[in-house]
Amino acid sequence: MTRPLDGVRVLDLATLFAGPMAAMFLGDFGAEVVKVEHPRRPDPARGHGAAKDGIGLWWKMLGRNKQTITLNLSEPEGQDVLLRLARDADVIIENFRPGTLERWNLSYERLKEANPGLVLARVTGFGQFGPYARRPGFGTLAEAMSGFAAMTGEPDGPPTLPPFGLADGIAALATAYAVMTALRARDLTGDGQVVDLSILEPILTVLGGQPTGYDQLGLVPPRTGNRSVNNAPRNTYRCADGSWVAVSTSAQNIAERVMRLVGRPEYVDEPWFATGAGRAAHADELDGAVAAWVGERTRDQVLAEFEKAEAAVAPIYDVRDIMADPQLAALDAITTVDDPDFGPLRMQNVLFRLSATPGELRWTGRAHGADTDHVLGAAGLTADEIDALRARGVI
């Protein structure tokens, strides 16, 4: 089967989440990804999250579709091996602090001498320059500094961080997009280039128009809990059986359907109901009406009545619900992959469906250094050279 990124070779030097996840996205659609880890200090992501029999389950997803090798890049011999691998690579993804590759004599200028078409994606907390460039950077800091935490949470509560790597995930998507953009530019010019991506900027962008609103009107987004300043009713509501649903009324006709459904059609005729901002100003009244109606019905009854009224609602799922949902099953959003440690293993599928050249989960995250001999042998190193590097701790 032809895959859209067949022939694209990626060296994943990054650790933890944003860079490795970007490499995962590329591997899902056919890129040949080689994960490079330190011989004695594997990617800490291998130990994050739940484990079974001492094996990290998150790694099985994050490391999927990647070959794994070990290489000590702080040693001159390891640097020489990386240059040999770079000659045949299209992309290197790294997330070391700015200046680290240069300290290892692996600057982009040297890498480009080995391969003029190489794309180097540098994923850091704050970018390659500026007063914060050398600070340690993690997704949590980006969630704090982007404005996300300040506008998330209840109005009288503290700023709230997400319980997962939100900024890292957004940055991973942005990195994969940046890499594909740079590869397209290489198709046009023949030259590679550097991608400089800070984890802070992608989440800042997806938060919407808050900088423009501040620039023009001095607006500072408040914390509104599950409500929106742009429309109402918009919230989570508890059903009679203790489960929860979410209601959205971004469109005017949906808002009208919801209020008629919950038995309060008189609100629709109010002048303020004609705009999202007007409804948001009366959120207490609208929320109260919806909450009372939902609270008298089970979740299944609420969903059925909303569907009949063609109004927008969704159940609040935990992972048990996700694994049993018929729509997600129809999309194969959670798919099954054979794993050498656990047998059939379920995880998220590729991000989207291509009709002619679909992506595929070919294998799960592999053991530390599982493919070192194979990859280095394919790069031209002899068995004796590989044994010598292993004896000296370079691999």
Side-chain angles (χ1 to χ4, degrees):
M1 182 181 67
T2 300
R3 303 181 185 92
L5 298 184
D6 277 347
V8 175
R9 294 181 173 180
V10 179
L11 299 177
D12 174 11
L13 313 186
T15 58
L16 292 171
F17 306 115
M21 187 173 287
M24 182 198 81
F25 292 142
L26 300 174
D28 285 352
F29 286 90
E32 180 185 328
V33 180
V34 174
K35 171 75 175 178
V36 181
E37 298 173 88
H38 191 280
R40 291 170 297 282
R41 296 190 298 276
D43 186 339
R46 289 180 178 272
H48 273 248
K52 181 179 179 181
D53 301 330
I55 302 170
L57 296 175
W58 195 349
W59 169 253
K60 290 294 185 178
M61 173 194 172
L62 191 62
R64 70 192 191 193
N65 292 336
K66 300 179 184 182
Q67 300 177 77
T68 60
I69 72 169
T70 60
L71 192 60
N72 187 346
L73 298 179
S74 65
E75 294 289 340
E77 291 168 295
Q79 296 156 18
D80 290 341
V81 171
L82 185 74
L83 287 171
R84 293 179 71 165
L85 295 173
R87 291 192 191 107
D88 294 322
D90 298 284
V91 180
I92 292 178
I93 300 175
E94 63 98 356
N95 68 339
F96 303 110
R97 288 198 206 182
T100 300
L101 282 186
E102 288 75 10
R103 190 172 71 249
W104 290 340
N105 200 24
L106 291 170
S107 67
Y108 183 64
E109 289 71 21
R110 190 178 184 205
L111 291 168
K112 195 168 184 179
E113 288 177 3
N115 181 352
L118 185 69
V119 171
L120 175 63
R122 314 193 77 169
V123 184
T124 57
F126 304 104
Q128 294 295 310
F129 56 90
Y132 304 160
R134 290 186 172 272
R135 290 183 181 180
F138 298 99
T140 297
L141 309 188
E143 289 146 10
M145 293 179 64
S146 63
F148 174 87
M151 61 192 297
T152 303
E154 294 300 324
D156 57 351
T160 301
L161 296 166
F164 65 100
L166 176 63
D168 283 292
I170 297 171
L173 290 165
T175 301
Y177 167 57
V179 165
M180 297 308 301
T181 302
L183 290 175
R184 173 57 178 160
R186 189 187 67 177
D187 291 343
L188 300 174
T189 67
D191 293 325
Q193 60 184 298
V194 175
V195 171
D196 176 8
L197 188 140
S198 76
I199 297 175
L200 175 58
E201 289 170 285
I203 188 172
L204 176 62
T205 296
V206 302
L207 284 173
Q210 56 174 322
T212 307
Y214 179 77
D215 175 64
Q216 295 297 305
L217 299 171
L219 297 177
V220 177
R223 287 192 287 283
T224 59
N226 291 320
R227 288 180 173 176
S228 168
V229 297
N230 299 311
N231 63 79
R234 190 265 197 183
N235 213 322
T236 59
Y237 306 93
R238 185 167 182 147
C239 304
D241 57 5
S243 56
W244 293 78
V245 296
V247 172
S248 175
T249 57
S250 295
Q252 180 69 25
N253 62 339
I254 298 295
E256 294 174 4
R257 291 172 191 170
V258 169
M259 298 319 298
R260 291 191 176 103
L261 172 64
V262 302
R264 302 303 297 270
E266 68 273 15
Y267 284 131
V268 175
D269 298 324
E270 293 286 348
W272 49 261
F273 196 88
T275 67
R279 297 196 307 274
H282 292 262
D284 285 345
E285 300 163 63
L286 300 177
D287 267 347
V290 176
W293 185 90
V294 169
E296 295 173 351
R297 292 160 176 81
T298 67
R299 185 174 77 176
D300 287 347
Q301 291 172 327
V302 170
L303 297 177
E305 290 297 316
F306 265 76
E307 184 172 357
K308 187 190 304 181
E310 297 184 355
V313 69
I316 303 293
Y317 275 176
D318 63 23
V319 69
R320 294 168 294 186
D321 301 306
I322 291 168
M323 301 297 261
D325 182 81
Q327 177 62 30
L328 292 173
L331 296 175
D332 197 27
I334 305 297
T335 197
T336 302
V337 194
D338 286 330
D339 179 77
D341 296 306
F342 304 125
L345 189 64
R346 299 174 73 188
M347 65 177 64
Q348 299 94 319
N349 207 340
V350 299
L351 279 175
F352 47 85
R353 286 161 294 282
L354 296 179
S355 60
T357 56
E360 180 187 12
L361 306 193
R362 290 163 283 161
W363 62 83
T364 58
R366 292 170 61 74
H368 182 229
D371 304 290
T372 300
D373 288 21
H374 169 73
V375 171
L376 297 192
L381 278 75
T382 66
D384 288 343
E385 288 175 312
I386 293 171
D387 288 343
L389 290 171
R390 183 167 284 115
R392 290 192 288 273
V394 177
I395 60 174

